[in-house]
Structure formats: C-alpha cells, structure tokens
C-alpha cells in the first residue's frame, strides 16, 4: 500500500494504524497548499479531492475518506475494530462521531479566512465534543471498550490538534492521550512524519 500524507494531518491516523497492524506501506508526503507531492507530482491527478489521507491499495485502487480507510485497514487486521455484535455498531458510531462531529468542528481553525469569532466558536464546539468523549474515557480504557481500535488512532490525532490550537483537553482524555503517545505504533508513526517532539 502507499499512503499520501501530510505531517500531523488526519492522515496520521492511517499511519498509526498501518504501524499498529504491522501492514507494509510506503509513504508519500504531500504539500497541501501547492497540491504537489514531495517528488513534484501533481497530487490532484492522483486524488482529485486534493486532500489526505489517500491510500493506494495493493490492487492499485485509490481509497479516500478516513472512515473508509480506517475500516478497510481493520478488515485486514480485525482486532483493530470489533467485527461482530453491538460492539461493531458502537465502533462505527464512534468513528462517525470523530469524523463528522469532532474532525469537522476544527475546520475554521485551519481556514485562514475564518474570522476570530468563527475560530472561537469552533474551539467551543471542539470542547463540547471532547467533553462527551471525556465522559466515555472516564469509564473505558479506549473509545470502543477496553481494546485499542482504529478510532483511538483517529482520536489521538484530534487531541494533538486540540493541544496545537489551545483547546483545553479534559482530565480523562489527557490521561488517555498520554498513554497513547507512548504506544510503539504511535511513536513510530510520529517519527515517520518527523513529529516526535511536536505531538
Ligand atoms: N473527508 C475527508 C477530509 C480529509 C481532510 O480534512 N484532510 C485534510 C487534512 S486533515 C486535508 O488534506 N486538507 C487539505 C484540503 O482540503 O485542501 C476525510 O475524512 O478523509
């Protein structure tokens, strides 16, 4: 597989899961402003959506969207997301929440033209979403019960963003992030993106 990524972007979740699952992959850095890869290729010709993560599968097909890529990788390494019963639906529910309610809430913070008021509102929305997850992580070790899943990889990235944008991370989530950060897969993924001291 080949992952198109940008350091510290949401594609870091795919990077973490590739390491966690021991899946072989190559990595291509993308400049999201110029839409060029590190070797100067036109990223829009590779992924017309223009954003990362973009994963080239072993059959040559391109897969995009965090929720699709993370579930695809979990299909290769089933221990990385519950596959049966109610736990399966809870996993998908959590993945959707992180993607559509938390990840998207950050958007104004990455939009240079957003006003100070829009940015402040975004921080408040992110804090509200984090508070809901904090309640959950006061009760279970990981987002989906007591085993690490692809949802944890995604949420870890969202928590690095909270720190970067000065959004307070509540206590249970802060403990959870500290525990995740020393996980070998996360250390390896951060190193792969040149981020060890930054996250
Ligand atoms: N819907 C996509 C959104 C991915 C996304 O927001 N990627 C960001 C980095 S975290 C990006 O590449 N932004 C650059 C751009 O949209 O031009 C997904 O969930 O995978």
């Amino acid at each position: 597989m080949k992952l198109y990524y940008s350091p510290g972007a949401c594609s870091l979740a795919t990077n973490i899961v590739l390491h966690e699952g021991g899946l072989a992959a190559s990595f291509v850095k993308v400049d999201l402003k110029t839409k060029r890869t590190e070797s100067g290729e036109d990223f829009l010709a590779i992924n017309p959506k223009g954003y990362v993560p973009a994963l080239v599968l072993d059959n040559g097909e391109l897969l995009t969207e965090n929720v699709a890529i993370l579930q695809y990788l979990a299909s290769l390494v089933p221990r990385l997301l519950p596959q049966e019963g109610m736990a399966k639906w809870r996993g998908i529910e959590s993945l959707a929440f992180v993607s559509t309610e938390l990840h998207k809430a950050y958007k104004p913070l990455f939009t240079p033209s957003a006003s100070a008021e829009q940015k402040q509102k975004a921080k408040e929305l992110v804090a509200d979403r984090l508070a809901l997850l904090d309640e959950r992580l006061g009760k279970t070790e990981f987002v989906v019960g007591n085993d690490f899943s692809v949802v944890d990889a995604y949420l870890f990235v969202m928590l690095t963003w909270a720190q970067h944008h000065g959004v307070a991370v509540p206590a249970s989530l802060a403990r959870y992030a500290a525990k995740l950060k020393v996980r070998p897969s996360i250390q390896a993924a951060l190193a792969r993106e040149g981020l060890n001291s930054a996250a």
Side-chain angles (χ1 to χ4, degrees), residues 90 93-94 131-145:
R90 291 293 176 212
E93 179 184 47
S94 302
L132 290 170
L133 289 162
D134 188 63
E135 205 181 317
R136 165 101 53 101
L137 285 155
K139 295 179 193 134
T140 59
E141 204 183 334
F142 295 102
V143 178
V144 191

Side-chain angles (χ1 to χ4, degrees), residues 9-11 32 35 50-53 65-66 99 103-104 154 161:
C10 51
S11 46
L32 292 173
K35 308 290 179 197
Y51 51 68
V52 295
E65 305 299 329
N66 282 290
S99 176
H103 182 175
K104 279 299 155 203
Y154 201 176
W161 290 4

Side-chain angles (χ1 to χ4, degrees), residues 51-84:
Y51 51 68
V52 295
L55 186 69
V56 181
L57 309 183
D58 289 339
N59 68 4
E61 283 191 44
L62 185 78
L63 189 63
T64 60
E65 305 299 329
N66 282 290
V67 292
I69 290 174
L70 295 175
Q71 287 185 81
Y72 173 78
L73 295 177
S75 78
L76 302 180
V77 186
R79 68 180 157 79
L80 292 178
L81 198 62
Q83 302 291 313
E84 286 174 3

